[in-house]
């Protein structure tokens, strides 16, 4: 599967692919927090796109670009674009993505390591697979 199978906007697809590529580079070089942040950004990008281009049985209350990641995850699940396992894992990825804020990392008393990033990769794969499977095109 290619990102363009899920993201039809060419410019956004390039940006999402870049995040995927950068996350891989970060993971390979032990920059686990950076990998997680890139994966969280990718997740947000694909969910915003899905909310913009798909017909929703339950619409968002504001434009997708102004919607928090937490609400985008719920929206994708409510509209059956992602399964329950992907929703739950995405909520965890969102929490880890928030480690971009040093104070959040301090409060969590946790910094990302290989296992954290590995969980986030699995989450992104699950979401991408679910979005591809539920894509009406």
């Amino acid at each position: 599967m290619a990102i363009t199978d899920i993201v039809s906007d060419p410019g956004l697809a390039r940006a999402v692919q870049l995040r995927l590529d950068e996350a891989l580079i970060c993971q390979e070089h032990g920059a686990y927090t950076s990998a997680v942040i890139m994966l969280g950004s990718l997740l947000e990008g694909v969910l915003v796109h899905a909310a913009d281009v798909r017909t929703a049985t339950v619409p968002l209350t504001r434009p997708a670009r102004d919607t928090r990641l937490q609400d985008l995850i719920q929206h994708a699940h409510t509209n059956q674009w992602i399964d329950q396992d992907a929703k739950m894992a995405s909520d965890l990825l969102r929490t880890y993505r928030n480690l971009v804020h040093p104070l959040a990392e301090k409060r969590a008393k946790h910094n990302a390591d290989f296992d954290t990033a590995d969980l986030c990769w699995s989450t992104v794969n699950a979401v991408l697979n679910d979005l591809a499977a539920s894509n009406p095109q």
Side-chain angles (χ1 to χ4, degrees):
M1 162 188 21
I3 292 297
T4 53
D5 294 337
I6 299 161
V7 179
S8 59
D9 176 275
L12 182 58
R14 277 191 299 279
V16 168
Q17 183 63 54
L18 180 62
R19 278 158 180 71
L20 188 66
D21 296 344
E22 287 187 16
L24 182 59
I25 291 167
C26 290
Q27 175 88 359
E28 289 173 347
H29 293 278
Y32 304 118
T33 300
S34 296
V36 168
I37 292 165
M38 287 293 101
L39 292 169
S41 177
L42 181 156
L43 177 68
E44 188 166 8
V46 297
L47 293 179
V48 165
H49 180 72
D52 279 342
V53 301
R54 292 183 180 204
T55 302
T57 55
V58 179
L60 286 170
T61 57
R62 63 178 55 116
R65 70 181 177 279
D66 297 331
T67 303
R68 298 177 314 160
L69 180 54
Q70 178 178 354
D71 298 325
L72 290 167
I73 294 166
Q74 182 60 50
H75 178 68
H77 180 257
T78 299
N79 285 287
Q80 299 179 347
W81 302 336
I82 63 171
D83 294 334
Q84 179 68 21
D85 60 343
K87 180 210 175 294
M88 292 173 64
S90 293
D91 286 331
L92 182 61
L93 173 51
R94 180 189 55 80
T95 299
Y96 284 127
R97 188 274 318 253
N98 287 340
L99 295 178
V100 68
H101 306 289
L103 290 177
E105 186 174 330
K106 179 183 172 192
R107 280 191 302 271
K109 296 180 180 159
H110 174 74
N111 56 331
D113 57 18
F114 177 85
D115 292 330
T116 308
D118 199 42
L119 283 169
C120 294
W121 276 103
S122 296
T123 299
V124 166
N125 286 330
V127 169
L128 294 176
N129 288 338
D130 287 354
L131 288 173
S134 66
N135 194 349
Q137 297 174 352

